Amino acid sequence: MLARITLCLAVWLGPALARAEVSALLVGVGDYAEGSGIDDLKGPPNDVRLLGEALASRGVRDITVLADHTEGAARPTRAAILAALSERAGHVGPGDLVYVHLSGHGSRQKDLNGDETDGQDEVFLPADATNRARETGLFVNAITDDEIGAALDAIRATGADVWLVMDSCNSGTGLRAGSSGLVARYVDPPTGIAPPMRGEGRDEAGGAGLPGGIVAFYAAQSTERAHELDFGGTGATQDWYGLFSSQLAARLADGGDWTFRQLFQAVLADMNDRSIPGGARLQTPLWEGDLIDRPLFGAADGASARRFPVERGRIGAGQIHGMLDGTLVGLLAEANGPAGDWIGRAQLSDLGARDARLTAVSAACRPEADAPCPATGQLPADARFAEVIARPVDLAVVFAPPVEIATGAPLAADHTAHVALLQALDTPELSLRLDAKDYDVAVGWDGASLWFGPRVAIEGQPIGLRWTPGEAPLAPLIARIARAETMAHAFGAIADAGSIMFRTPVPVAARVAPVASSDLAPLGTNVDPTEECLAAVARRAPDAARPLTPRAELKQCDTLSVAAQGTIAGAYDVNRIHIDAHYCVHADYARVEDTAAAVALGQDVWICSDCAGNYSPAGYSAGEERMFIVVGEAAENAAPLNLTGLVETCDGAPLTRGARAAAVDDFLTRLTRTRSLRGGTGFGGAPDIWVEAFDWTVVPKAIALAGEQRN
């Protein structure tokens, strides 16, 4: 029987929860059996008590605790932990949130099912684990990452969301304790398990396609060890806490409204505080998952402005985030401070890939390109975060004047569609103009609709993004196009400046597997595109996949896969940015920490040029598409360069596209061109950001059926 403890504060139970139910499973393992070969820890039981109180202060009443030396709690054995996770799956449903916190020793052991790129599983060590079976390369009673993932997927399969926090070590490298008051939560693996060069590559949080979402916080990256500290300095057991857990609990207990991203940023900033004893900067937390911009416990609207960390006069945002020299930011003391409640203002200069210098300016500053505002002195001492107020406009997204697709003749100036386009381009927040010779976006008229794209016709058939007068306002589509194009300019500038001397340390292989045109359903058939494509793929040759060539022509039911392969020891953040024919931007992220095997970067993209009928919100989506692979060196003591949730421009992805849907982010609204980035950001002029660019054309199904296209 599991012990369930209801922790609550009589004075204040916090704001009412918007979710159906929030429950928690808190696991703290500190007391290992004598002779197990695993040293005891003092902090985990304290962690779960502290977190239980913090959650209770927010109104969470359903809290299960498995911890040593904790009144009313069961011992955190392997069986008890797995049973508690299984019980959660049987008691939750759509809209619920399950918080799972695992605090204790972590390690690694031999992978038995071959799903790890480095042949090793990450493991969490429950109270009955032992390190005696060294000849097998396995711990006894360890819980593997595969088992944790399966248990969380069972919860998500009910429609409930999961928030996982792991305050344990996940690698065999790094320094041991930096002082007598600092202990690493790590156990050497069984004999025969080699440490990684720097890390083993963390699995993506959770399985794809489940109704429930997930966000995971990890106390340390796999190149480091998570630590617990003696905060009292006396050695007393009650004064020991996990560094990450203690800072997380403090933020949860402060009663503020957070998104998960804001909470992570605040905890990271707190961990970098030099007042924390014993060396807080020995570990760098990570996050992953699709809930990162959701409100914590449903308490607030998650569509808030993005905040960036501020430290030692620099902001943790640079060219890769769309910043410019002269960008004006508002300074805040907290990551979740109210929008506009600034304690000061500053302008950016000396831009790097991921950071920039801040100069204090007055409230009267109006950013202009090449004309910085006068400096006003020192930045506020308590400024720890910043949000963008305005960027100097130095880039116009250029549209071609509309022409008749059939004849190429210019559309009359007083034509309804031409007038509507001019009105939509008159947007103060964006710099947009017409130019018939040098343009980013072609505009065509087919007699009923305007079409937008790098080109708007193939063999006389319209392609791209369509707008029909009277159906919907044009201005939002123009804004979407502008955001996507400015992103393409930013990443394209870096990709175009590539050098054979500074090749990416994580090369990407993009491969397309075409189907036969003869295996597609006839035009006009209201067929489920999933069934059509599954049937076509079933007839495809096993060796059909081939490298994606520049400006390849892809068709209905072709599939595009992307894999990243590390070639140099080190940890790298890798983002796949896909701009589709409708100017929707999709982002996928992976952390590459291993050179042994390639890592899939996002799900495969299933091409769907003609998804008519009730089967796809995309409908007809033939046109030009682009993809940028953005690779950044993982920075210590900083959030990962994970662009998911920051760059997407549409509410959701088409059903046949593999990219993860996310809320529209205002990040791109003011995004403008970044200058070419090469040199100056790494040793000897080597960059710490690399970009590879790919492009292709999704051809209309009618053209595909007329003959095989070139790939």
Side-chain angles (χ1 to χ4, degrees):
M1 176 67 68
L2 295 174
R4 175 159 296 160
I5 300 176
T6 299
L7 299 172
C8 58
L9 298 183
V11 179
W12 181 61
L13 291 178
L17 298 175
R19 292 181 179 272
E21 182 183 357
V22 178
S23 60
L25 170 62
L26 308 180
V27 177
V29 186
D31 189 4
Y32 294 89
E34 185 175 353
S36 66
I38 303 175
D39 293 333
D40 289 345
L41 293 169
K42 298 178 181 179
N46 297 333
D47 291 349
V48 298
R49 284 192 288 268
L50 188 64
L51 282 158
E53 294 169 359
L55 292 170
S57 74
R58 286 182 167 268
V60 182
R61 300 172 182 270
D62 186 358
I63 302 177
T64 298
V65 177
L66 302 176
D68 302 307
H69 311 301
T70 300
E71 184 178 356
R75 187 168 181 245
T77 62
R78 170 186 166 84
I81 294 170
L82 293 178
L85 289 168
S86 177
E87 183 190 39
R88 284 293 83 209
H91 289 82
V92 295
D96 292 345
L97 174 70
V98 179
Y99 172 43
V100 178
H101 191 103
L102 302 178
S103 181
H105 273 308
S107 190
R108 47 198 294 121
Q109 68 179 25
K110 182 169 59 177
D111 174 32
L112 296 181
N113 62 3
D115 68 329
E116 303 286 352
T117 60
D118 65 346
Q120 300 174 39
D121 274 324
E122 297 172 355
V123 295
F124 181 77
L125 301 180
D128 55 343
T130 66
N131 196 15
R132 308 304 297 174
R134 290 183 172 271
E135 66 279 359
T136 67
L138 301 172
F139 288 94
V140 175
N141 289 330
I143 302 178
T144 68
D145 51 359
D146 296 333
E147 292 175 304
I148 293 172
L152 299 184
D153 284 351
I155 296 173
R156 295 174 59 207
T158 69
D161 295 330
V162 173
W163 178 21
L164 170 68
V165 176
M166 294 195 68
D167 193 351
S168 61
C169 294
N170 297 295
S171 81
T173 61
L175 299 175
R176 289 195 175 271
S179 71
S180 59
L182 180 71
V183 171
R185 293 181 169 180
Y186 179 73
V187 176
D188 287 328
T191 302
I193 300 298
M197 298 180 71
R198 270 190 62 183
E200 70 277 4
R202 191 181 305 280
D203 291 339
E204 183 177 351
L210 296 174
I214 188 168
V215 64
F217 289 2
Y218 304 107
Q221 60 182 333
S222 60
T223 64
E224 303 168 334
R225 295 181 176 180
H227 295 84
E228 60 179 39
L229 302 177
D230 176 9
F231 280 83
T234 64
T237 299
Q238 66 268 20
D239 291 335
W240 285 80
Y241 293 91
L243 172 59
F244 185 80
S245 293
S246 63
Q247 302 308 301
L248 176 62
R251 285 296 179 173
L252 286 174
D254 73 5
D257 290 340
W258 305 88
T259 64
F260 285 104
R261 187 190 298 272
Q262 290 171 346
L263 178 63
F264 180 88
Q265 289 176 330
V267 172
L268 177 60
D270 292 345
M271 290 177 64
N272 284 334
D273 190 335
R274 291 177 177 78
S275 66
I276 295 177
R281 292 171 177 264
L282 290 178
Q283 66 189 77
T284 304
L286 297 172
W287 67 265
E288 61 181 343
D290 55 5
L291 300 179
I292 191 65
D293 288 309
R294 297 283 185 87
L296 182 70
F297 302 153
D301 181 4
S304 56
R306 297 289 170 242
R307 274 68 188 275
F308 300 97
V310 171
E311 184 178 8
R312 290 180 289 179
R314 298 189 73 86
I315 182 174
Q319 293 177 327
I320 205 67
H321 301 90
M323 298 297 180
L324 287 169
D325 280 321
T327 295
L328 180 67
V329 298
L331 304 174
L332 304 102
E334 297 292 346
N336 67 332
D341 188 18
W342 304 311
I343 59 176
R345 301 189 184 208
Q347 268 192 301
L348 275 60
S349 63
D350 186 27
L351 262 70
R354 289 186 276 194
D355 67 349
R357 178 183 298 135
L358 291 172
T359 300
V361 297
S362 73
C365 176
R366 297 294 181 268
E368 297 180 7
D370 303 321
C373 298
T376 59
Q378 299 297 315
L379 298 173
D382 53 348
R384 301 200 336 175
F385 297 92
E387 65 183 14
V388 173
I389 299 175
R391 291 178 172 86
V393 176
D394 75 339
L395 171 68
V397 175
V398 184
F399 291 72
V403 299
E404 298 270 3
I405 290 178
T407 65
L411 208 60
D414 60 352
H415 191 286
T416 301
H418 197 159
V419 173
L421 176 61
L422 292 176
Q423 292 174 342
L425 293 178
D426 186 18
T427 304
E429 295 82 9
L430 302 169
S431 181
L432 310 172
R433 61 183 174 85
L434 292 177
D435 190 319
K437 295 182 179 180
D438 186 12
Y439 56 84
D440 304 299
V441 183
V443 184
W445 174 256
D446 68 354
S449 304
L450 282 178
W451 295 80
F452 300 89
R455 59 172 169 158
V456 293
I458 298 178
E459 299 181 14
Q461 184 163 338
I463 59 172
L465 176 62
R466 176 174 56 191
W467 174 77
T468 302
E471 287 189 353
L474 179 57
L477 294 183
I478 294 297
R480 184 205 301 176
I481 294 170
R483 297 178 191 123
E485 283 297 330
T486 51
M487 172 153 291
H489 277 283
F491 293 138
I494 302 174
D496 291 344
S499 166
I500 62 172
M501 295 179 63
F502 302 133
R503 289 176 175 169
T504 174
V506 187
V508 167
R511 297 178 64 81
V512 61
V515 300
S517 296
S518 58
D519 289 332
L520 299 178
L523 283 176
T525 305
N526 191 23
V527 61
D528 184 332
T530 300
E531 294 180 1
E532 177 187 25
C533 290
L534 288 176
V537 168
R539 301 185 188 98
R540 185 171 61 192
D543 59 349
R546 64 193 70 172
L548 178 69
T549 57
R551 304 201 62 79
E553 292 182 342
L554 309 186
K555 62 182 176 299
Q556 181 99 339
C557 298
D558 289 350
T559 54
L560 177 68
S561 62
V562 183
Q565 170 72 66
T567 59
I568 300 175
Y572 297 91
D573 298 314
V574 185
N575 293 267
R576 183 182 84 178
I577 309 300
H578 174 200
I579 304 175
D580 69 21
H582 287 179
Y583 287 96
C584 289
V585 179
H586 315 279
D588 284 278
Y589 167 82
R591 193 171 181 90
V592 176
E593 299 178 321
D594 181 49
T595 61
V599 176
L601 186 52
Q603 300 176 37
D604 289 355
V605 176
W606 287 67
I607 303 301
C608 196
S609 62
D610 296 70
C611 293
N614 300 321
Y615 299 109
S616 172
Y620 178 74
S621 55
E624 304 288 327
E625 302 200 344
R626 290 161 285 180
M627 180 174 68
F628 299 94
I629 307 301
V630 183
V631 177
E633 288 182 299
E636 294 183 356
N637 307 113
L641 182 64
N642 185 339
L643 299 179
T644 58
L646 293 175
V647 299
E648 292 88 342
T649 58
C650 294
D651 288 334
L655 294 179
T656 51
R657 308 252 181 207
R660 196 166 48 231
V664 177
D665 192 284
D666 66 347
F667 170 72
L668 286 181
T669 302
R670 299 179 300 271
L671 183 64
T672 49
R673 188 203 301 263
T674 60
R675 63 175 180 264
S676 174
L677 173 62
R678 285 290 154 180
T681 60
F683 176 76
D688 61 1
I689 295 291
W690 296 262
V691 176
E692 289 187 74
F694 301 83
D695 58 9
W696 60 88
T697 301
V698 177
V699 299
K701 190 174 182 180
I703 295 177
L705 290 176
E708 291 288 346
Q709 301 299 319
R710 298 180 303 277
N711 287 309

